[in-house]
Amino acid sequence: YRQTYQKETNVNEPFDDLIAMIEEVNTIPDSRVYDYFIQHFQVENFIDYLVVNACISNWDSIVKNHFALQDSALTGKWEFIPWDLDRTWGEFPDWNLYANQDILAGVRRHPGPQLGSDWWNRVQDRFLNNSTFLTMYYNRMRQFLRTQFTEERMNARIDEIDASIRDETPLEKKIHGLHGTWNYINEVENLKKYVRDRREFLFQSLPVDVENWQLH
């Protein structure tokens, strides 16, 4: 565990809580999964984390590039928060943007394009293989696509960032050079296209029988 995980807080305390969580997630019977996560995880925060990662195709967070946070002072419950968001918005190492990342990427047997069969997360897999949590995830995804991850909101944010950095891109290219055929103006439009295509793909991936948009 010490070779795999780096502590950011409580560095002088043992790894007991982390070890217990990992071993319990991996070994508890299916009949106990729901109760375990309700008791030991900030469930709604975890669902939001998974939904946002899916919307922005944060595939690099599945096996690394995340923090596991335990509220040891109050609830003792776990949640995950993002770290290192360079490979997001559909970007993969080939520099192309893919909007068809599986809605369940991170679950075993749902690697999606460009990811290997070993690219899955044990906590996420156990969580979303529970039918109740899966329904909650789909409900939250539908709600998020309708209210937060919309073309209107995302394009306005893209335009805002574009206006703030556009004049700096010549200096950036002068310092770091140009990768292939990369063109700043084209990439701004590619981001907007990703939002449109990703929303369409995710909507099409939702089961048609998920109608209750409220979390349980």
Side-chain angles (χ1 to χ4, degrees):
Y1 288 94
R2 292 183 182 276
Q3 292 176 344
T4 305
Y5 298 96
Q6 176 180 323
K7 279 202 171 195
E8 298 293 329
T9 61
N10 304 316
V11 294
N12 295 321
E13 296 182 9
F15 281 61
D16 295 0
D17 290 341
L18 176 66
I19 293 172
M21 183 269 284
I22 293 172
E23 293 186 349
E24 287 166 354
V25 165
N26 277 302
T27 59
I28 56 174
D30 292 343
S31 61
R32 288 191 52 216
V33 166
Y34 177 83
D35 289 339
Y36 176 80
F37 276 96
I38 291 295
Q39 293 170 8
H40 296 282
F41 274 73
Q42 297 283 7
V43 167
E44 293 197 6
N45 290 357
F46 187 44
I47 290 174
D48 282 347
Y49 169 82
L50 296 176
V51 166
V52 173
N53 278 343
C55 286
I56 65 174
S57 297
N58 187 15
W59 57 270
D60 214 14
S61 70
I62 292 173
V63 299
K64 54 188 178 70
N65 287 0
H66 58 254
F67 289 112
L69 171 68
Q70 184 186 34
D71 182 7
S72 56
L74 296 175
T75 66
K77 292 186 175 183
W78 291 89
E79 59 183 297
F80 288 82
I81 55 177
W83 179 81
D84 190 2
L85 296 166
D86 58 335
R87 295 298 191 185
T88 52
W89 299 88
E91 184 185 277
F92 278 79
D94 63 3
W95 300 96
N96 290 313
L97 303 187
Y98 294 86
N100 58 342
Q101 188 67 50
D102 197 307
I103 192 173
L104 296 179
V107 175
R108 195 173 189 177
R109 297 184 297 278
H110 287 270
Q114 309 299 312
L115 298 181
S117 59
D118 60 341
W119 206 269
W120 58 284
N121 182 283
R122 274 64 176 169
V123 177
Q124 188 173 336
D125 180 75
R126 207 73 201 277
F127 184 80
L128 290 180
N129 269 302
N130 177 271
S131 60
T132 301
F133 291 138
L134 180 61
T135 299
M136 293 169 68
Y137 171 75
Y138 283 142
N139 286 340
R140 182 63 175 127
M141 176 66 77
R142 187 188 297 275
Q143 182 187 58
F144 196 76
L145 292 173
R146 290 181 178 272
T147 61
Q148 303 297 318
F149 194 69
T150 67
E151 286 189 69
E152 181 181 12
R153 292 187 79 255
M154 293 299 102
N155 288 350
R157 182 59 173 154
I158 291 169
D159 288 339
E160 180 183 357
I161 298 298
D162 172 31
S164 71
I165 68 174
R166 184 187 308 159
D167 294 340
E168 303 297 328
T169 56
L171 178 60
E172 183 78 7
K173 287 192 289 186
K174 183 178 179 180
I175 295 174
H176 298 291
L178 185 65
H179 177 82
T181 58
W182 183 86
N183 180 281
Y184 175 77
I185 299 301
N186 290 346
E187 294 306 327
V188 172
E189 295 307 310
N190 285 340
L191 275 179
K192 294 180 178 181
K193 182 179 184 300
Y194 168 82
V195 172
R196 182 179 68 250
D197 293 347
R198 185 61 176 159
R199 291 185 77 253
E200 180 179 355
F201 180 85
L202 290 172
F203 266 123
Q204 292 175 349
S205 301
L206 289 169
V208 295
D209 59 343
V210 177
E211 297 179 351
N212 176 14
W213 300 344
Q214 300 301 314
L215 291 181
H216 296 263

